[in-house]
Amino acid sequence: MKLSWTKPEFITVTCLEWKFLLQTESCKEIIIESMRYLTNDGRVRINAFVLMDNHFHLIWRMIGEYKRENVQRDFLKYTGQTILRKLHVMRSPLVSDLRVKSRDRKFQVWERNSLSISLTTEGFLLQKLNYIHNNPVRAGLCESPEDYKYSSAAFYITNKSEWEFLEHYKG
């Protein structure tokens, strides 16, 4: 049985007020584990990603009848709550910076209204893929994209990956 999926989408998720909430490997691993779960559960195909200290980018495709809005909402809710718990356990001073005056929450990890763009052509997809992979280089975190651990760059550049959930954009 062939699975159906939507066109790939590029999303950017930003930490509240660009705070460096993803500086620790343990917080980045929360995002990784959630991506792994979503792929193993058959909701998405992850084609590319980069996790920076205050934001992350993904190129992903929804599978079957799953709607991006619902998957993204659940993904951000789960990762946000898990990161917040982790920061509490670590007794991070960042916790107080995440307190918000909102009717529906006391704390907030992610900025609302994450950017989501449908990638309608291969050229547009490649532009975003290069943007994602060069993000750590532009930030001065590495000299070559494939040297940055929390990225899919090595998968595309050297054909090596520790991220079994990645799928090449060509399928």
Side-chain angles (χ1 to χ4, degrees):
M1 178 173 102
K2 182 155 172 69
L3 296 173
S4 65
W5 58 72
T6 59
K7 288 206 178 294
E9 296 196 33
F10 169 82
I11 69 164
T12 298
V13 177
T14 307
C15 297
L16 183 68
E17 298 172 353
W18 289 89
K19 296 190 184 313
F20 290 91
L21 303 177
L22 302 176
Q23 276 186 307
T24 65
E25 284 196 13
S26 62
C27 285
K28 285 183 176 81
E29 288 296 330
I30 291 167
I31 308 295
I32 294 292
E33 286 304 315
S34 191
M35 289 191 294
R36 182 174 286 120
Y37 173 80
L38 289 173
T39 58
N40 289 341
D41 197 44
R43 297 184 202 185
V44 301
R45 300 270 192 246
I46 307 279
N47 299 125
F49 75 94
V50 67
L51 306 181
M52 304 295 285
D53 290 345
N54 60 3
H55 70 285
F56 64 90
H57 303 288
L58 294 174
I59 294 177
W60 63 356
R61 303 168 194 247
M62 299 304 116
I63 298 174
E65 301 301 314
Y66 288 102
K67 300 211 179 312
R68 187 210 27 97
E69 302 82 24
N70 298 335
V71 172
Q72 186 170 322
R73 177 198 63 224
D74 295 348
F75 173 62
L76 295 181
K77 181 178 179 181
Y78 173 79
T79 56
Q81 290 174 343
T82 307
I83 288 169
L84 186 59
R85 279 194 302 275
K86 173 68 80 177
L87 294 173
H88 273 293
V89 167
M90 293 167 48
R91 299 188 192 282
S92 171
L94 289 169
V95 172
S96 62
D97 293 341
L98 300 176
R99 188 173 294 278
V100 293
K101 294 178 180 172
S102 179
R103 289 185 312 206
D104 65 338
R105 68 192 73 211
K106 292 180 182 176
F107 296 93
Q108 185 170 328
V109 171
W110 309 120
E111 286 287 346
R112 292 187 182 246
N113 302 318
S114 302
L115 175 69
S116 181
I117 301 170
S118 184
L119 302 174
T120 55
T121 67
E122 185 175 16
F124 194 27
L125 184 146
L126 290 172
Q127 176 191 22
K128 293 302 181 188
L129 188 70
N130 288 328
Y131 176 82
I132 285 173
H133 292 158
N134 285 300
N135 210 271
V137 176
R138 285 189 306 277
L141 300 175
C142 58
E143 288 189 26
S144 300
E146 65 271 21
D147 295 335
Y148 187 68
K149 178 178 179 179
Y150 289 100
S151 167
S152 55
F155 175 73
Y156 283 93
I157 296 168
T158 67
N159 218 19
K160 296 178 187 170
S161 177
E162 63 180 88
W163 317 114
E164 78 290 344
F165 57 82
L166 276 175
E167 183 177 296
H168 196 283
Y169 77 90
K170 289 187 177 182

